[in-house]
Amino acid sequence: MNHVRIESLTATIVDLPTIRPHKLAMHTMQQQTMVVIRVRCSDDIEGIGESTTIGGLAYGNESPESIKQNIDSHLGPLLVGEEASNINAAMQRLDKAAKGNTFAKSGIESALLDALGKRMGLPVSELLGGRVRDSLEVAWTLASGDTARDIAEAEQMLEMRRHRIFKLKIGANPLEQDLKHVVAIKRALGDAASVRVDVNQYWDESQAIRGCKVLGDNGIDLIEQPISRINRSGQVRLNQMSLAPIMADESIECVEDAFSLAADGAASVFALKIAKNGGPRAVLRTAQIAEAAGIALYGGTMLEGTIGTLASAHAFITLKQLTWATELFGPLLLTEEIVTEPPVYHDFALQVPRIPGLGLTLDEDRLAHFSRR
């Protein structure tokens, strides 16, 4: 196995339709665009990974186009000829040669793990230390922006036993309008559901003081990234005063961010995202920092498709505790698939397969159909 080499690494942009527009504070998604990464090894085993952003450059520093370009021109050529099974050496080589690019690196690491799992006959979770559960509870984002429609959608999800945790994207509208919208939904759902909000940094600190108080007083369970990641002292103040726990998301752009956030006491919950940490192995380092500091964990998403979702899930099922569950619902937003085995959701949870690697096979015809030309 030590003599197995990486022969090629390719990146393909894929555009998949969604069930509805997905409204965020900074962007409204009309479709989901992902980069599918394929690593071909000298033993004819292929690993697949995914790099996906929310809204491209509207969210962060990488876009699908830049991810593909950097993989094709820089990151991929660095790995051709390297040992396919030595993921540690491969990722260190990338980190030394290229700063940042965590989304691209995450997809590459996922593909290397998938190939290694297939080679060894083990699920990726076992390569990451071993699973302690087989499923993960999954939240659903209510993002229509219409209060009555969001309530009806949540009630339908509860009846189907698909979701009982709901997150609302707020911040784009005036503060009082958003607060009224959230409180009305919580009152309608009552104790049958957990209701949370994600502000995506769109409040200033004065708005956040007001918003966190109203939300906490009205039973909202969690407030995600209410103010700018740059305002670290403000995050500390809000974390100390808010009745509802504050979760850091955009504040964590690398593993080192997790350490400084924990040291400052800037959040009581961390959102874990493989894309923002650089891969499934990297996100577990952030989780270890949080666990050592007594900070609770939440399994986040960049609304990846099935490949990226299962790469995240294989990491998350190895964790001792996910106090705030996960939001690995990305595949449920899509109307089309590019894999032969769609993910299984039932009893409020995503079921994580025990098949070697990520447990997925690409549907070549559908991949070709939805690939960008």
Side-chain angles (χ1 to χ4, degrees):
M1 187 168 65
N2 290 336
H3 300 292
V4 176
R5 302 289 171 176
I6 297 171
E7 290 193 335
S8 66
L9 196 153
T10 61
T12 303
I13 297 178
V14 178
D15 296 304
L16 291 180
T18 55
I19 59 174
R20 55 164 165 75
H22 192 74
K23 186 176 181 181
L24 312 170
M26 82 298 288
H27 179 76
T28 298
M29 291 171 46
Q30 303 293 341
Q31 62 180 13
Q32 183 55 299
T33 299
M34 58 194 66
V35 181
V36 175
I37 297 160
R38 307 176 77 162
V39 173
R40 171 64 63 177
C41 305
S42 60
D43 59 356
D44 288 332
I45 288 178
E46 180 181 75
I48 58 174
E50 177 189 339
S51 297
T52 295
T53 69
I54 297 176
L57 294 176
Y59 181 89
N61 297 324
E62 294 175 78
S63 68
E65 295 77 13
S66 71
I67 290 169
K68 173 174 169 53
Q69 183 63 56
N70 285 337
I71 289 174
D72 289 347
S73 300
H74 303 287
L75 305 181
L78 281 171
L79 295 185
V80 173
E82 296 297 306
E83 288 187 18
S85 296
N86 192 339
I87 298 173
N88 192 42
M91 299 311 297
Q92 286 188 26
R93 182 172 174 82
L94 294 185
D95 287 340
K96 183 177 180 180
K99 303 299 182 186
N101 287 277
T102 58
F103 286 73
K105 290 174 182 175
S106 177
I108 292 171
E109 181 175 278
S110 299
L112 291 171
L113 285 166
D114 182 46
L116 181 58
K118 292 172 180 174
R119 187 171 298 117
M120 299 184 68
L122 292 171
V124 166
S125 57
E126 308 315 295
L127 303 178
L128 298 174
R131 65 178 66 197
V132 294
R133 58 185 67 82
D134 285 319
S135 64
L136 296 161
E137 183 152 9
V138 176
W140 179 252
T141 294
L142 301 170
S144 76
D146 180 273
T147 304
R149 187 182 304 171
D150 282 351
I151 290 171
E153 187 174 314
E155 290 175 340
Q156 181 183 23
M157 296 296 178
L158 286 166
E159 184 177 351
M160 295 166 58
R161 294 183 60 81
R162 207 176 82 175
H163 305 279
R164 57 187 173 190
I165 302 170
F166 300 101
K167 186 165 85 170
L168 304 173
K169 294 285 190 177
I170 63 173
N173 299 316
L175 176 64
E176 296 303 322
Q177 179 181 337
D178 272 343
L179 294 177
K180 182 179 178 181
H181 172 66
V182 174
V183 170
I185 291 173
K186 176 58 183 174
R187 287 176 178 168
L189 300 180
D191 294 335
S194 171
V195 176
R196 306 153 181 197
V197 299
D198 183 3
V199 192
N200 286 125
Q201 308 181 84
Y202 260 66
W203 287 343
D204 60 36
E205 191 173 343
S206 67
Q207 292 174 305
I209 291 171
R210 161 75 174 155
C212 289
K213 183 179 188 310
V214 171
L215 295 173
D217 286 343
N218 284 276
I220 302 308
D221 291 328
L222 190 64
I223 302 171
E224 182 174 346
Q225 199 69 47
I227 62 175
S228 170
R229 68 181 302 274
I230 298 172
N231 187 358
R232 178 63 62 82
S233 59
Q235 293 176 74
V236 173
R237 288 188 288 270
L238 286 175
N239 193 44
Q240 291 172 341
M241 64 166 285
S242 178
L243 290 177
I246 302 294
M247 180 161 71
D249 178 18
E250 284 87 353
S251 291
I252 307 174
E253 291 193 342
C254 60
V255 176
E256 291 77 10
D257 283 337
F259 178 82
S260 61
L261 285 164
D264 291 345
S268 54
V269 184
F270 281 0
L272 301 174
K273 294 183 176 179
I274 63 171
K276 290 171 61 178
N277 285 262
R281 294 161 64 252
V283 85
L284 293 181
R285 294 196 288 273
T286 290
Q288 289 161 1
I289 291 169
E291 289 172 345
I295 295 170
L297 298 174
Y298 177 69
T301 183
M302 294 305 297
L303 298 182
E304 292 99 340
T306 295
I307 302 168
T309 293
L310 282 179
S312 297
H314 277 281
F316 296 161
I317 61 172
T318 71
L319 294 170
K320 179 180 179 181
Q321 187 171 4
L322 279 163
T323 304
W324 295 92
T326 78
E327 57 176 292
L328 297 180
F329 67 90
L332 297 172
L333 278 178
L334 304 174
T335 62
E336 302 287 348
E337 266 293 358
I338 57 170
V339 296
T340 59
E341 311 88 0
V344 177
Y345 293 85
H346 67 78
D347 284 335
F348 307 112
L350 167 66
Q351 311 301 310
V352 185
R354 286 184 172 269
I355 301 169
L358 295 176
L360 298 170
T361 304
L362 288 172
D363 185 321
E364 298 292 351
D365 291 338
R366 301 194 70 74
L367 176 65
H369 179 76
F370 290 106
S371 294
R372 188 182 297 181
R373 293 171 176 79

